Amino acid sequence: MKSEVPVALLFSLLCWNGGLRADGRTEQADGPSITFGIVHEGAIYASNLSLSVCRGDVFGKEIRIYQINQGIQLSGIHESIDFPPRWKIGGGALKFVDASPSPLPGARKRDLLTFNIPLTSIDQVITDQQSTQPASSLGPREVKVFEFSALLEDERRNDNRRNILDYTYEAVRRFVSHRDKVTTPDPPFADYEFFYDLLPVKKGPCDFVVLASEPLQEEIELTRKDTIFPLSNTGKWQNAKEPLKPMLGFWHKNEGGQWALVDKVKNPCFNERFHVFPDGTTYYFVTDSGKVYVSKKPDKGERKLEEVWIDKKRPINGAITDTASGKTFLFGAEGNDSPKLFYFELSEKPELCEFERKSLVDTKLLPPLDIPTTYAHLLAADKKIKIEPKPEPKPKP
C-alpha cells in the first residue's frame, strides 16, 4: 500500500475530551473528538463538522474565511453530529468521509460515504469570488459559504464501490448491538468499538487504517469477492462469547475495485480513536488520550506497536506536519490552564521544546481555525516551518 503525501503543510489538531473507563479504555465523547486542519500555501483548513471545512487565508494582507460544504444538499446525505470528522488532502483533492444518519425511523444503520472535491475547483470558485468581492468588504469574522455538491465525486453504496468502512462498521455494529443488547434506534457512533483514519492515494479515493475486530476483518476479507454484503444473518459471529479482539488493519482498494487487507498490527495496545501519520513504511499513531505509538515495517514477522510518548500528566493535544520537509510536530501541556506548553518533532526519541502560552499569537479567529493558526505561527517564528502566502491567481476572463 502506497499513500501519497500531499504537497502542503498538513495540520491535525487532536482535541482530547475523553476519560478513562474502569476497564482502562478511553471513553469517547458524544461529539467529534478529533479536528483536522491543513495549512496550504498560506491558507489554513480546519473542521469540527462532518460535512464542512473552513479555510482561512490568514497569512496574507487580508483575512478571508470560507466554509466549504460538500454533500449537504445531496439527497440522503446529512451532517452527523456525533461522527468524528475524517478528511485530508491528497491526490489533488479534499477527501471526506461522513456517517450519514439513516432517514428511516428506527433504523440502526448508517451509511459511511467518501467524497472528493478537486482542489482546483475550490481554488477557482474562491478566485472568482475574490474578483467580485474583495476581502476588505467582509467583516473580520464573516464567513463566505460555498456549496460543492455539483462537483463532488462521491462513492455510493452500490456495486463494488461500497466503502470498506461501511463493510466493517456494519459487521461491528451488528456484533456489538447483539453483545451489549443495544436497543436505542440510533445509538451514538462512539458506542461501537470501531475507529479509523484515512490515507490519501494518487489514484482512487483513499486507503484506510481500521481498528476493529480481527475475526470480522478476516471474514470480510474472505468474502469480499463474493458479495457486497459480507455477512449473512446466520448468527455465526453473533454467538461469539469472547469480546472483540482489536486489530489495526491497513486496507487498499485495488484496480479491480476490490478491497484488500494489505497489512495489519494484531496487538494495537489501544482501543480508541486515533490519527495516523505515515512516514514511508513507518506509521505513527496519536490517540485521543494523547499517547503516541510507532509501527515499523519489520524485515521478518508481523508489525508491532512501540511506545513513543506515554505521559498521562502531559498528553498530546495537537500535531502539525510539514510535508515539504517531511517533519511532524506534536503539541501538549499539563492542562488547559497550564502557562507552559511544549512541542517536539515526531520521532522515536522526542526532544522537547518548551514555550510560554503567552507567546502564542492571538489571531482573534473563531474555532476551528483559531488554535491551528496560533501553532502554525509559532512554528514559523521558530523557523521550524516556512509559510509563504499563495500567489493571487488571475480570474477567468
Side-chain angles (χ1 to χ4, degrees), residues 78-128:
H78 308 281
E79 188 83 49
S80 181
I81 61 174
D82 72 326
F83 181 71
R86 285 294 182 270
W87 63 276
K88 285 186 179 179
I89 283 183
L94 195 56
K95 301 176 182 292
F96 304 83
V97 176
D98 181 58
S100 183
S102 174
L104 300 177
R108 294 183 176 87
K109 177 68 173 66
R110 303 184 184 191
D111 291 335
L112 276 76
L113 301 174
T114 303
F115 302 96
N116 298 332
I117 303 180
L119 290 175
T120 53
S121 300
I122 297 175
D123 290 340
Q124 189 59 57
V125 170
I126 291 179
T127 298
D128 294 342

Side-chain angles (χ1 to χ4, degrees), residues 107-376:
R108 294 183 176 87
K109 177 68 173 66
R110 303 184 184 191
D111 291 335
L112 276 76
L113 301 174
T114 303
F115 302 96
N116 298 332
I117 303 180
L119 290 175
T120 53
S121 300
I122 297 175
D123 290 340
Q124 189 59 57
V125 170
I126 291 179
T127 298
D128 294 342
Q129 192 276 337
Q130 289 176 355
S131 65
T132 59
Q133 185 178 19
S136 57
S137 64
L138 297 175
R141 294 186 179 183
E142 185 176 349
V143 178
K144 181 69 175 180
V145 178
F146 294 126
E147 292 282 355
F148 283 86
S149 298
L151 298 173
L152 285 176
E153 303 169 7
D154 62 294
E155 204 175 45
R156 293 292 184 173
R157 191 186 154 187
N158 55 26
D159 299 327
N160 62 355
R161 302 175 66 192
R162 192 179 177 201
N163 198 307
I164 188 61
L165 299 179
D166 211 30
Y167 280 112
T168 315
Y169 172 59
E170 181 179 19
V172 172
R173 178 192 59 82
R174 290 180 180 178
F175 184 93
V176 176
S177 294
H178 177 83
R179 185 193 66 186
D180 296 345
K181 297 180 174 58
V182 176
T183 58
T184 306
D186 191 16
F189 185 85
D191 281 2
Y192 302 110
E193 298 167 359
F194 172 67
F195 317 108
Y196 75 93
D197 193 19
L198 56 87
L199 295 171
V201 295
K202 291 183 179 180
K203 296 182 180 180
C206 46
D207 289 344
F208 292 97
V209 184
V210 180
L211 173 58
S213 164
E214 178 178 1
L216 293 182
Q217 287 198 36
E218 291 178 348
E219 188 169 358
I220 290 171
E221 170 62 14
L222 291 174
T223 60
R224 64 184 170 82
K225 294 183 180 180
D226 300 330
T227 173
I228 65 172
F229 296 98
L231 296 176
S232 64
N233 293 322
T234 60
K236 174 183 176 182
W237 50 268
Q238 289 183 346
N239 296 326
K241 296 181 180 180
E242 298 296 326
L244 292 176
K245 181 179 180 181
M247 177 191 72
L248 281 173
F250 296 77
W251 293 84
H252 174 68
K253 193 174 186 179
N254 59 30
E255 295 180 356
Q258 299 292 339
W259 287 98
L261 180 63
V262 296
D263 210 343
K264 59 185 177 181
V265 180
K266 283 195 172 182
N267 298 298
C269 305
F270 59 87
N271 193 32
E272 59 178 304
R273 291 174 184 164
F274 63 89
H275 191 84
V276 59
F277 297 93
D279 183 11
T281 60
T282 298
Y283 295 91
Y284 288 92
F285 296 87
V286 181
T287 71
D288 270 18
S289 58
K291 301 174 183 177
V292 183
Y293 301 87
V294 63
S295 176
K296 295 177 290 185
K297 185 71 173 178
D299 295 332
K300 295 182 180 180
E302 300 175 343
R303 277 186 179 270
K304 297 181 180 179
L305 280 183
E306 300 177 8
E307 295 181 356
V308 174
W309 182 265
I310 308 294
D311 191 334
K312 295 181 180 180
K313 294 183 178 180
R314 296 186 297 174
I316 300 300
N317 58 28
I320 297 180
T321 300
D322 181 6
T323 55
S325 63
K327 296 179 179 180
T328 297
F329 300 90
L330 301 183
F331 288 76
E334 292 187 2
N336 294 332
D337 299 327
S338 175
K340 291 187 178 181
L341 291 81
F342 67 89
Y343 71 86
F344 58 83
E345 181 181 340
L346 182 58
S347 65
E348 296 182 47
K349 298 181 179 180
E351 296 182 3
L352 268 63
C353 296
E354 296 185 341
F355 63 95
E356 298 288 335
R357 186 181 296 273
K358 61 183 180 181
S359 64
L360 292 173
V361 177
D362 184 5
T363 60
K364 301 187 183 302
L365 294 175
L366 296 175
L369 293 175
D370 52 348
I371 297 178
T373 305
T374 61
Y375 283 174

